[in-house]
Amino acid sequence: MRIEKCYFCSSPCYPGHGMLFVRNDSKRFRFCRSKCHRNFNKKRNPRKVAWTKAYRRTRGKEMAVDSTFDFEKRRNRPVKYDRGLMGKTIVAMKRVEQIKQTRDQRFFENRMQDAKAEKKKQARVEIEKSIELLAPAVANREEVMRNVIDNAKSRIAARKKSASKLTTTGNKDMMED
């Protein structure tokens, strides 16, 4: 059983799914669904269609060069079945997939780190453009904070007074005994 790659979007084509187009020069094009086949027939470039892997790689949204991609290359040399070799191969495939996922995650985090800085920069520019809208809100917030602090101070003072009354009355009760 061989899982092929879609010629247009690079997603997996499982056996019995999708379409196979064979050109006059015997070149085979496998498509995962009719959407990919239609876009191919319309002569669209996969690198310019936003939902394809080729687009994501050319725009730097996914890793384009990595040593783990070498394991996905198609090999046409038949290998005699050996149970031990198959076990090792499956373990190696899992390990390669794990390495690939960690590298993808690291690549994504590095890409988003730059995006975060850009987002902050754009937010600052937007605030500077419309500072007149924010000025009254900031002034109002300071007034509200002042009121909250004053209320808190008065409550604390009231608690201290009531605590001091209790201790003085407690001392008088002890003296009477």
Side-chain angles (χ1 to χ4, degrees):
M1 179 175 91
R2 173 171 281 159
I3 300 171
E4 308 265 349
K5 292 264 187 218
C6 175
Y7 177 80
F8 196 78
C9 70
S10 302
S11 65
C13 293
Y14 293 95
H17 294 264
M19 293 172 232
L20 180 68
F21 171 69
V22 183
R23 210 165 46 190
N24 285 340
D25 62 352
S26 300
K27 174 127 173 69
R28 300 162 54 119
F29 300 95
R30 170 90 50 190
F31 303 105
C32 60
R33 54 188 180 262
S34 61
K35 178 181 180 181
C36 297
H37 189 227
R38 279 195 320 266
N39 281 298
F40 176 79
N41 286 339
K42 290 178 182 178
K43 295 183 169 50
R44 288 196 175 142
N45 188 347
R47 287 171 290 178
K48 294 182 180 178
V49 179
W51 49 269
T52 62
K53 286 241 187 210
Y55 175 89
R56 293 184 61 77
R57 285 190 177 135
T58 55
R59 298 298 191 284
K61 306 219 178 276
E62 285 185 7
M63 285 193 305
V65 179
D66 193 26
S67 60
T68 57
F69 296 142
D70 295 339
F71 293 103
E72 292 181 4
K73 285 185 180 170
R74 188 171 162 181
R75 293 168 186 82
N76 290 323
R77 191 179 334 133
V79 178
K80 189 174 181 181
Y81 179 78
D82 179 21
R83 186 177 182 145
L85 179 65
M86 278 307 236
K88 288 180 182 177
T89 304
I90 290 175
V91 169
M93 286 170 61
K94 289 178 183 174
R95 180 70 180 132
V96 166
E97 188 62 33
Q98 182 184 11
I99 291 169
K100 189 175 175 183
Q101 286 177 351
T102 56
R103 287 181 182 173
D104 277 341
Q105 184 65 29
R106 198 175 323 129
F107 179 79
F108 176 78
E109 288 169 357
N110 289 340
R111 195 167 56 90
M112 288 297 111
Q113 189 174 16
D114 296 339
K116 189 185 283 186
E118 184 65 28
K119 204 172 188 179
K120 278 186 178 180
K121 185 178 175 185
Q122 288 176 352
R124 283 196 177 111
V125 167
E126 186 67 29
I127 288 172
E128 288 172 4
K129 281 183 182 177
S130 56
I131 193 72
E132 67 278 355
L133 296 174
L134 294 175
V138 170
N140 190 19
R141 188 180 69 189
E142 289 174 359
E143 184 180 322
V144 169
M145 289 299 292
R146 226 178 284 122
N147 289 340
V148 168
I149 291 171
D150 292 340
N151 289 340
K153 285 180 180 177
S154 62
R155 278 184 279 155
I156 291 170
R159 281 190 207 144
K160 285 184 180 178
K161 283 183 181 177
S162 64
S164 65
K165 286 181 183 177
L166 288 175
T167 54
T168 55
T169 56
N171 289 340
K172 287 180 183 177
D173 292 337
M174 285 184 179
M175 288 182 182
E176 290 176 2
D177 290 336

